[in-house]
Amino acid sequence: MSLYDNEAKAALAQIAKKDKITILAIESSCDETAAAVLSNRDVLSNIIASQVDIHKRFGGVVPEIASRNHSLAVKNVVEQAVEQSGLQLCDIDCIAVTYGAGLLGALLVGVSYAKALAYALKKPLIAVNHIKGHIAVNYVASKDLKPPYVGLIASGGHTAILKVKDYLDFEVLGETQDDAAGEAFDKVARVLGLPYPGGPCIEKLAKEGVANIKLPIPLKKQLGYDFSYSGLKTAVINYVNSAKQRGDNICAADIAASFQDVATDMMVDNAVRAAIDTKIDTIVVAGGVGANTQLRQKLEEKAEKFNIKVFYPPVSLCTDNAVMIAAAAYFMIKSGKSSQTLALEASANVALCD
Ligand code: KG4
Ligand code: ZN
């Protein structure tokens, strides 16, 4: 522990007692360089520099290119976030940053920048788990939301059902055994010749089609809450390849609609069943796939039948941003679980509940 670490620890204890905590957060785990300033749960600024157009050409995120572009963007993005917040750097109480999970080289940029900033400003550094951020952004979007609830996490890297017992106390009830839901959307989109990221493109194309292709529902007969998206993705690829071999015309819109129908059913079924089984009357959606309109509609319809409430963030806060990182940091500070030294390292793989 350095002198800075001891000072930061003492400073955090003081910050936790404040009525208004001002947090500058940085997120760089994949292809968005993002920074945000929050005062408690109020968003003062939210800046996102997306690299989507750069990676589109390659059909997915190229890690080295992502790291390089984070390096180019991070300084400007942070400066803009501070400027738009109307505050000065000296008004910020602490710096929060995503340390994992994600692309290691991409994470390193945000972590290094946050460490340097924290050291130079003599402000505490808070290391945030990306998935905890996706969940916590719901507390910014819905100020009346309180645990306990069942969390449906659906992003490009994770798909899981959590029992959220308290703000920072989670239990994994089920998770994907192979691909994440977002990954399946992206891969199916690629097979259909749609650009990256696939989720929004599949959703748009599905509106023009009919879900008339029979696809398998993996793990349907099991009673747990696990997912398997690899089999569903392979079924779509096989369907497309067989049709091509036979010289049949394929209707991409029908394939998109059929895939989306099964993919969303799997999430809705597991989330609602988990809420019923645990006798918890609230489901909270988190992660990029949570932007999907069909998922939201089906979840609301099914949940309503069992008097279960559903919360989800606005679409702009479903995909990666730094507001979510600041939100998680806020609850970490409040609970006293946030001490972090400058020895912090980025980590590509982080357990969901770490
Ligand atoms: O949470 P996120 O921004 O990044 C990760 O933490 O992985 O999620 C990105 C994923 C991508 O796979 C993207 O295709 C998917 O979320 N996604 C969607 C939609 N918008 C984004 N999937 C389905 N429907 C959407 N509207
Ligand atoms: Zn994410």
Side-chain angles (χ1 to χ4, degrees), residues 79-96:
E79 283 175 0
Q80 270 186 56
V82 175
E83 195 181 316
Q84 277 195 16
S85 73
L87 302 176
Q88 309 276 323
L89 268 179
C90 58
D91 302 322
I92 304 289
D93 289 315
C94 54
I95 316 288

Side-chain angles (χ1 to χ4, degrees), residues 164-245:
V164 179
K165 299 180 222 172
D166 205 345
Y167 290 100
L168 298 168
D169 185 7
F170 310 150
E171 180 188 336
V172 181
L173 298 180
E175 62 188 317
T176 184
Q177 300 299 302
D178 38 60
D179 290 355
E183 203 177 342
F185 269 92
D186 293 340
K187 287 180 179 162
V188 166
R190 201 196 285 211
V191 170
L192 297 180
L194 301 171
Y196 171 84
C201 301
I202 294 260
E203 173 166 4
K204 196 164 166 232
L205 185 62
K207 289 198 177 101
E208 295 162 26
V210 182
N212 56 7
I213 299 161
K214 206 168 158 36
L215 295 167
I217 304 179
L219 304 183
K220 185 159 173 70
K221 293 205 175 75
Q222 59 106 36
L223 289 174
Y225 312 103
D226 284 341
F227 298 92
S228 168
Y229 277 100
S230 168
L232 177 60
K233 169 199 72 187
T234 308
V236 174
I237 294 172
N238 289 344
Y239 176 88
V240 171
N241 288 343
S242 320
K244 279 185 184 161
Q245 271 166 12

Side-chain angles (χ1 to χ4, degrees), residues 65-332:
I65 296 177
S67 315
R68 199 169 317 152
N69 282 285
H70 284 308
S71 302
L72 294 174
V74 68
K75 181 171 179 285
N76 266 336
V77 167
V78 170
E79 283 175 0
Q80 270 186 56
V82 175
E83 195 181 316
Q84 277 195 16
S85 73
L87 302 176
Q88 309 276 323
L89 268 179
C90 58
D91 302 322
I92 304 289
D93 289 315
C94 54
I95 316 288
V97 65
T98 309
Y99 75 98
L103 302 170
L104 189 58
L107 288 162
L108 264 172
V109 176
V111 167
S112 307
Y113 198 89
K115 276 161 83 165
L117 205 54
Y119 185 72
L121 298 170
K122 299 254 172 292
K123 306 278 184 188
L125 177 71
I126 321 275
V128 177
N129 173 332
H130 183 81
I131 292 299
K132 284 192 177 167
H134 273 303
I135 297 167
V137 83
N138 280 284
Y139 302 122
V140 171
S142 308
K143 299 271 177 4
D144 52 344
L145 172 65
K146 285 190 179 67
Y149 55 81
V150 166
L152 165 61
I153 317 302
S155 72
H158 293 89
T159 304
I161 300 287
L162 304 184
K163 181 174 175 185
V164 179
K165 299 180 222 172
D166 205 345
Y167 290 100
L168 298 168
D169 185 7
F170 310 150
E171 180 188 336
V172 181
L173 298 180
E175 62 188 317
T176 184
Q177 300 299 302
D178 38 60
D179 290 355
E183 203 177 342
F185 269 92
D186 293 340
K187 287 180 179 162
V188 166
R190 201 196 285 211
V191 170
L192 297 180
L194 301 171
Y196 171 84
C201 301
I202 294 260
E203 173 166 4
K204 196 164 166 232
L205 185 62
K207 289 198 177 101
E208 295 162 26
V210 182
N212 56 7
I213 299 161
K214 206 168 158 36
L215 295 167
I217 304 179
L219 304 183
K220 185 159 173 70
K221 293 205 175 75
Q222 59 106 36
L223 289 174
Y225 312 103
D226 284 341
F227 298 92
S228 168
Y229 277 100
S230 168
L232 177 60
K233 169 199 72 187
T234 308
V236 174
I237 294 172
N238 289 344
Y239 176 88
V240 171
N241 288 343
S242 320
K244 279 185 184 161
Q245 271 166 12
R246 286 196 306 269
D248 294 350
N249 280 333
I250 58 159
C251 176
D254 288 350
I255 298 172
S258 306
F259 163 76
Q260 182 178 252
D261 197 37
V262 176
T264 52
D265 265 354
M266 284 159 65
M267 288 180 262
V268 171
D269 284 353
N270 275 4
V272 172
R273 199 155 36 79
I276 294 168
D277 294 350
T278 54
K279 300 188 172 48
I280 292 176
D281 69 352
T282 307
I283 294 173
V284 172
V285 182
V289 183
N292 188 277
T293 315
Q294 193 185 53
L295 172 67
R296 290 169 177 232
Q297 278 169 357
K298 284 205 253 183
L299 191 56
E300 280 191 350
E301 276 165 26
K302 187 153 186 185
E304 199 186 0
K305 287 189 189 140
F306 298 95
N307 285 324
I308 296 167
K309 298 184 280 293
V310 179
F311 288 81
Y312 37 75
V315 169
S316 62
L317 293 179
C318 279
T319 45
D320 293 347
N321 62 83
V323 170
M324 63 190 223
I325 303 306
Y330 171 74
F331 289 100
M332 291 167 76

